Amino acid sequence: MSAVQRIAVLGATGSIGLSTLDVIARHPERYQAFALSAFSRLAELEVLCLRYRPTFAVVADAGAAQRLQAALQVAGLSTRVLWGDAGLCEVAAHEQVDAVMAAIVGAAGLSSTLAAVEAGKKVLLANKEALVMSGDLFMQAVRKSGAVLLPIDSEHNAIFQCLPGDYARGLSAVGVRRILLTASGGPFRETALAELESVTPEQACAHPNWSMGRKISVDSASMMNKGLELIEACWLFDARPAQVEVVIHPQSVIHSMVDYVDGSVLAQLGNPDMRTPIAHALAWPQRIDSGVSALDLFAIARLDFQRPDEERFPCLRLARQVAEEGGTAPAMLNAANEVAVAAFLERRIRFPEIARIIDDVLNLEAASTVESLDAVLAADARARARACEWLNRHG
Ligand code: NAD
Ligand code: MG
């Protein structure tokens, strides 16, 4: 590796992308933003390019690429602007890239995240949907290429920090009894069930502890985020779904825990700020300043825990069900959820209908085994089509 590590930040204009650039900017002697991507916020990407002067920028289409290229040339930058999935995959696998921050939201990030994995990069995984969709194939690709996969999701980063270095020998071999996956419970943890019928996208996106993109904010409100994280944890740590227990912890100070057979429970704590897991993964196995202030336990004073209520959060039950089923089921759950969340954000459906759509889509087809990426993409497409049919029937 070169002295200065070159980082491709995929999804640079998003919440995780901007936090990543904030950490990178604190350590110019260690990290350089080699490539930045954005989908719709072209003006914001231009500002980021002027500040970070990346070798590559990647946008959605040829027209946007032309416009950005022209603007950057006028500003005297030699940044090359690429576009589309091909552009994302090219920078993710570029020989000069040391690490890839996979921070595109949803299935749209799958191919570029896999490209980084297949090229054997250090992959900082925020895009949990990619792993949920392609689980086994993804982990096989990691083993085959020797990619270093480091979790950015705060819970998985916490679990990684609480596990011994040789956990790949197997959880039981290293004395782990359970993984305790913490969840804030989101903004609707105590809302009356009848009121959930009328909650708005603004209320769903007003997370009590974390500031995040809109899709993951709605997922947090429905607890589908925790469901996706349960599946993510199973793949990352080779756990059975039954070994992962979800614990509601409203303060979001403990980011997750590992329960060992001798009765020890190790936890990772910190202020809820994604720059901590990002800095951890960037510098691992070293530690660097992330800009996050020290935890003030006296100000926090207490930590609470509750069992999740699956009547309130049916998405959690659906995710556990597909985690057990395996095969194409997680990809179908993820795709139906993406369509349903987008429809909720567009005010086409009510909040509880997110879970109903997913449930109906899953009931239409038994999970089949996954032999190839094409099978995953086909399952994703079928689930999207069925979720759209549901919307048309009920709209
Ligand atoms: P965001 O909506 O703030 O940003 C998403 C980024 O992806 C943007 O840069 C956008 O331009 C890009 N993008 C969107 N659609 C795209 C498409 N079709 N093609 C290419 N690029 C596209 O989202 P976020 O909150 O930063 O989350 C990003 C990922 O990280 C998600 O998978 C999320 O689950 C995960 N994550 C986020 C947080 C958090 O605190 N925000 C925490 C844990 C995990
Ligand atoms: Mg998380």
Side-chain angles (χ1 to χ4, degrees):
M1 247 181 229
S2 52
V4 177
Q5 288 186 44
R6 300 188 189 95
I7 318 291
V9 184
L10 308 185
T13 50
S15 160
I16 294 287
L18 292 173
S19 291
T20 304
L21 289 172
D22 181 276
V23 177
I24 288 177
R26 288 167 195 277
H27 303 278
E29 72 300 346
R30 295 181 73 118
Y31 309 111
Q32 180 205 328
F34 179 78
L36 301 179
S37 92
F39 191 63
S40 52
R41 301 184 200 149
L42 213 56
E44 286 165 60
L45 182 63
E46 185 181 337
V47 172
L48 293 177
C49 286
L50 295 175
R51 167 142 192 227
Y52 291 94
R53 311 180 78 83
T55 306
F56 290 99
V58 188
V59 295
D61 54 56
Q66 242 172 25
R67 286 196 297 281
L68 183 63
Q69 188 72 74
L72 296 180
Q73 252 155 18
V74 169
L77 259 68
S78 57
T79 302
R80 256 190 70 202
V81 185
L82 309 176
W83 56 275
D85 236 20
L88 290 170
C89 292
E90 182 177 337
V91 299
H94 197 284
E95 57 173 12
Q96 286 179 31
V97 164
D98 297 300
V100 176
M101 168 54 80
I104 290 174
V105 59
L110 176 64
S111 49
S112 51
T113 305
L114 273 180
V117 166
E118 281 161 4
K121 299 299 182 192
K122 176 170 161 175
V123 179
L124 316 181
L125 183 71
N127 180 210
K128 66 191 90 184
E129 296 92 342
L131 181 57
V132 166
M133 291 174 73
S134 66
D136 202 17
L137 296 172
F138 190 112
M139 296 310 289
Q140 278 176 33
V142 169
R143 286 188 290 272
K144 191 170 164 207
S145 70
V148 176
L149 183 62
L150 294 166
I152 294 299
D153 223 336
S154 57
E155 295 77 3
H156 305 75
N157 185 272
I159 295 160
F160 179 80
Q161 294 196 47
C162 295
L163 284 171
D166 61 345
Y167 73 85
R169 292 198 292 124
L171 290 184
S172 43
V174 297
V176 172
R177 182 159 42 202
R178 288 179 306 171
I179 287 171
L180 300 170
L181 186 68
T182 55
S184 69
F188 304 143
R189 184 172 55 88
E190 291 181 320
T191 307
L193 286 182
E195 275 177 38
L196 290 180
E197 293 286 340
S198 55
V199 294
T200 63
E202 290 70 31
Q203 287 171 301
C205 289
H207 196 280
N209 308 332
W210 299 93
S211 150
M212 308 181 287
R214 281 162 71 76
K215 192 262 179 183
I216 185 178
S217 295
V218 176
D219 284 349
S220 298
S222 69
M223 283 194 81
M224 178 55 91
N225 183 47
K226 214 47 55 180
L228 297 174
E229 290 184 359
L230 163 73
I231 302 168
E232 181 185 13
C234 290
W235 288 116
L236 285 174
F237 308 116
D238 197 14
R240 283 174 284 108
Q243 281 178 295
V244 184
E245 179 158 4
V246 174
V247 179
I248 293 192
H249 163 47
Q251 291 91 355
S252 298
V253 167
I254 296 179
H255 299 310
S256 277
M257 296 171 262
V258 177
D259 177 8
Y260 287 89
V261 287
D262 61 3
S264 301
V265 176
L266 301 195
Q268 186 260 1
L269 286 72
N271 288 318
D273 187 322
M274 290 305 293
R275 290 176 301 174
T276 294
I278 290 167
H280 171 267
L282 271 173
W284 181 83
Q286 297 172 7
R287 298 269 178 181
I288 55 169
D289 171 35
S290 64
V292 178
S293 55
L295 187 64
D296 182 351
L297 284 172
F298 301 109
I300 291 157
R302 57 180 279 181
L303 301 175
D304 295 302
F305 305 99
Q306 291 168 1
R307 215 178 275 285
D309 169 359
E310 288 191 353
E311 190 194 344
R312 175 179 295 277
F313 299 116
C315 286
L316 199 52
R317 174 179 53 77
L318 293 170
R320 195 173 276 285
Q321 179 189 312
V322 305
E324 296 283 356
E325 259 180 283
T328 49
M332 301 199 69
L333 168 112
N334 178 67
N337 182 55
E338 286 191 24
V339 173
V341 169
F344 171 68
L345 285 171
E346 289 162 10
R347 297 173 208 275
R348 291 182 63 191
I349 60 167
R350 284 171 285 131
F351 183 74
E353 288 177 323
I354 295 174
R356 279 174 222 147
I357 292 178
I358 300 164
D359 202 357
D360 285 359
V361 168
L362 290 173
N363 282 332
L364 287 172
E365 181 181 319
S368 47
T369 53
V370 166
E371 260 116 39
S372 66
L373 193 60
D374 285 345
V376 173
L377 297 175
D380 172 276
R382 284 197 303 280
R384 275 173 209 275
R386 285 174 186 152
C388 289
E389 283 163 23
W390 194 105
L391 291 173
N392 293 335
R393 263 202 317 278
H394 294 75

